[in-house]
Amino acid sequence: MAMLNWDELEKQCMSCRKCSLCEERTNVVFGVGPRDAEVLFIGEGPGENEDLQGEPFVGRAGKLLDDMLEIIDLSRKKNIYIANMVKCRPPKNRDPLNTEQDACIDYLRNQVALIKPKIIVCLGRISAMRVIKEDFKITQEHGKWFEKNGVWTMALYHPAALLRDPRRKPEAFEDLKILQAKIREVCEHTY
Ligand code: URA
Ligand code: SF4
């Protein structure tokens, strides 16, 4: 796929019918945040609230994500961009199929090429397996840095996983501190 500029990319994505997730979507969830962000967060795919509102992470998990981000002075309104692996909601919130991820991944690639982030943070196992490595183990490798094409990349527990298992919150808090330290090291205008 040729690289598109933001306007072209958003326009194509909003009318996309490249996979069957287009059938049941209410809205395409393209992404949110400043387009010059140095830190890019990548989730899995829209849930019900996201599908209805057209914005990533706006349900209960999204509220937890915003609260976590605020601890280290990050905000979608100010200094980070948030996107998902797939832009349309998988039915009943099932994991996106590999075929659906394959169909959608070029939009994310193009977003990465336009944003040129210094840091990428995968939210949960599904995006880490796609972005970092196929055999990524979230319980063992969350909060660890990987260099992917010159970009510092790590995974956090997915906020929905933290809602299901709040005992993991202290580890997630440590991971946020690790992220904050890396931002201070490599980012120029995030803080
Ligand atoms: N979970 C995700 O992975 N992405 C969203 O946008 C919402 C919930
Ligand atoms: Fe297109 Fe991605 Fe939506 Fe599938 S999920 S229809 S590839 S935008």
Side-chain angles (χ1 to χ4, degrees):
M1 190 176 93
M3 246 271 280
L4 304 175
N5 68 31
W6 277 110
D7 285 351
E8 294 163 344
L9 181 67
E10 186 164 17
K11 189 162 154 253
Q12 274 210 10
C13 193
M14 297 316 258
S15 60
C16 179
R17 303 190 62 83
K18 284 199 289 182
C19 85
S20 55
L21 295 183
C22 71
E23 312 282 349
E24 293 182 60
R25 74 179 176 222
T26 314
N27 286 294
V28 175
V29 180
F30 181 66
V32 68
R35 292 172 169 184
D36 68 345
E38 296 172 301
V39 188
L40 168 65
F41 283 73
I42 303 176
E44 186 175 317
E48 184 180 17
N49 295 291
E50 291 76 22
D51 174 67
L52 291 172
Q53 295 181 46
E55 183 171 331
F57 288 98
V58 291
R60 214 158 77 86
K63 172 75 173 76
L64 176 57
L65 178 63
D66 283 338
D67 291 346
M68 288 166 57
L69 293 173
E70 200 184 314
I71 296 172
I72 54 167
D73 300 314
L74 298 180
S75 150
R76 64 179 80 196
K77 297 216 180 318
K78 208 172 64 189
N79 53 9
I80 59 156
Y81 195 89
I82 307 178
N84 280 311
M85 297 288 315
V86 296
K87 312 302 194 200
C88 305
R89 182 193 182 200
K92 297 180 188 148
N93 299 342
R94 63 160 171 73
D95 291 348
L97 305 175
N98 275 327
T99 52
E100 293 158 354
Q101 294 184 34
D102 291 345
C104 210
I105 196 77
D106 279 343
Y107 295 120
L108 182 64
R109 286 215 183 93
N110 203 331
Q111 286 172 310
V112 172
L114 290 167
I115 295 169
K116 300 188 211 76
K118 295 242 170 34
I119 295 174
I120 292 178
V121 181
C122 299
L123 292 167
R125 177 183 140 264
I126 299 282
S127 98
M129 285 173 66
R130 187 80 200 207
V131 175
I132 300 177
K133 54 177 182 169
E134 212 173 347
D135 63 347
F136 192 88
K137 299 277 181 296
I138 189 77
T139 49
Q140 289 162 31
E141 296 177 297
H142 66 90
K144 296 202 190 320
W145 290 109
F146 297 82
E147 208 199 307
K148 290 291 288 180
N149 311 312
V151 182
W152 290 102
T153 306
M154 67 129 66
L156 298 176
Y157 281 124
H158 195 288
L162 295 174
L163 289 174
R164 283 195 300 272
D165 187 359
R167 290 169 304 178
R168 291 179 182 177
K169 280 187 178 175
E171 290 169 81
F173 184 77
E174 289 308 311
D175 294 346
L176 289 173
K177 294 288 165 185
I178 290 166
L179 172 58
Q180 183 180 46
K182 184 61 76 184
I183 292 172
R184 290 197 174 121
E185 190 186 320
V186 305
C187 293
E188 283 157 23
H189 57 80
T190 297
Y191 290 146

